[in-house]
């Protein structure tokens, strides 16, 4: 089962991406969206997949980033990884 609980810190991802010698074609983030907002230099390259019930702030910022709410069924991990 995918569950969020907050505490995601996307600042370190943003800093890593912006320090790269060659900019990536896109940055894909999978999160519940419960975090402090970030403001990347090129928000058009950021795509956010927000878990069901998560906060959709990336699509609501002044410089809108692409954000989509996921509606996926609960997935249970095999007993071997619990």
């Amino acid at each position: 089962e995918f569950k969020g609980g907050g505490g995601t810190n996307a600042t370190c991802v943003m800093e890593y991406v912006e320090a790269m010698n060659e900019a990536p074609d896109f940055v894909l983030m999978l999160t519940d969206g419960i975090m402090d907002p970030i403001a990347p230099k090129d928000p058009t390259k950021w795509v956010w997949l927000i878990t069901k019930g998560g906060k959709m702030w990336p699509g609501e910022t002044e410089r809108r980033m692409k954000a989509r709410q996921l509606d996926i069924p609960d997935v249970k991990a095999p007993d071997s990884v619990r």
Side-chain angles (χ1 to χ4, degrees), residues 36-82:
D36 292 331
I38 61 169
K41 290 180 184 173
D42 189 355
T44 62
K45 292 189 176 193
W46 288 69
V47 178
W48 297 80
L49 300 179
I50 310 292
T51 56
K52 188 175 182 178
K55 296 192 183 240
M56 292 292 292
W57 70 264
E60 300 166 354
T61 60
E62 182 179 316
R63 296 171 62 196
R64 290 184 173 224
M65 294 177 266
K66 295 174 188 79
R68 299 291 180 264
Q69 191 95 44
L70 295 176
D71 187 11
I72 56 176
D74 290 343
V75 177
K76 296 193 188 279
D79 289 333
S80 61
V81 295
R82 286 187 189 173

Side-chain angles (χ1 to χ4, degrees), residues 7-55:
T8 302
N9 183 348
T11 302
C12 57
V13 177
M14 181 181 68
E15 290 171 350
Y16 177 82
V17 168
E18 292 179 356
M20 295 174 74
N21 291 331
E22 186 174 327
D25 292 331
F26 65 92
V27 179
L28 180 64
M29 299 290 291
L30 174 61
T31 178
D32 60 8
I34 301 172
M35 66 178 75
D36 292 331
I38 61 169
K41 290 180 184 173
D42 189 355
T44 62
K45 292 189 176 193
W46 288 69
V47 178
W48 297 80
L49 300 179
I50 310 292
T51 56
K52 188 175 182 178
K55 296 192 183 240

